[in-house]
Amino acid sequence: MDTTKTDALDKAATDPETQDSTESTDSTATAADDQDAGVPAQGGIEPDARDEDGFDEDDLDDDPSGTQGATGVLAAAGSVVAVGLGISSLTGTWIGDLMKDREQLIGQIKTSGGSVQAQLAAGYGTPWHTVALFNGIFALVAILVAAVVLFRPGRPAAAGNHWSQALAWGGLILGVLGLLIAGVMWFDVFTDLPVVAATPQQ
């Protein structure tokens, strides 16, 4: 009886068809176990597969950090420019002084030999208004630049740009003050044109 079992085992081991059937059964069982364990079958691609580091190429398209960084730099630069223009509108600029001297020279040439009041108007009033005009222009530009930085469409929530926003508000305030002072100078609110008293005729 033992001899019969041994012959059957030897026949199964040497029979090719029996070996193929056994290997096919083992492969099917292994694939089923892998599928139950969540491991993708050989040659297949898992739909949500990522790299080993958990990096997805789609993240590059959805990451706007580069654009936000460039926008933040431009906003900071605009804030500094607004502050500089606001200060210039209060203290005056070299171009305003240059135009004032030019108007004074033109006034002296035009009114040479004229009345004293005409000379005062040409040598003092016109240059004064010229300075007010240029200071007002610088103030207006400062207000516009600061307004663009503060109220531009699509402005991202400032996470680390609090100093930039503060500078922009400072430039806006300085621009408003400069524009107000320029208006006072232009309309001679507190500084009227000097008047020469009439001398009695002898």
Side-chain angles (χ1 to χ4, degrees), residues 42-172:
Q42 185 177 1
I45 300 176
E46 189 176 359
D48 296 334
R50 290 174 176 259
D51 295 338
E52 294 180 356
D53 297 335
F55 179 78
D56 190 1
E57 293 180 354
D58 294 337
D59 294 340
L60 292 176
D61 299 334
D62 298 336
D63 185 12
S65 58
T67 304
Q68 290 182 358
T71 305
V73 171
L74 291 177
S79 301
V80 174
V81 171
V83 171
L85 292 172
I87 294 175
S88 298
S89 67
L90 293 174
T91 61
T93 61
W94 65 271
I95 188 171
D97 295 337
L98 180 63
M99 296 303 296
K100 180 188 69 173
D101 295 338
R102 180 177 181 275
E103 291 297 331
Q104 285 179 344
L105 179 60
I106 293 174
Q108 291 175 2
I109 294 173
K110 288 182 176 181
T111 60
S112 59
S115 64
V116 177
Q117 194 64 32
Q119 292 178 0
L120 287 175
Y124 176 78
T126 302
W128 177 264
H129 293 161
T130 302
V131 173
L133 175 63
F134 279 92
N135 288 351
I137 292 174
F138 274 81
L140 184 60
V141 175
I143 292 173
L144 293 177
V145 173
V148 169
V149 173
L150 291 172
F151 308 111
R152 69 184 184 277
R155 180 172 59 91
N161 294 331
H162 297 295
W163 67 271
S164 177
Q165 301 296 318
L167 280 179
W169 280 111
L172 182 63

Side-chain angles (χ1 to χ4, degrees), residues 31 34-47 49:
D34 292 340
Q35 186 174 2
D36 294 337
V39 179
Q42 185 177 1
I45 300 176
E46 189 176 359

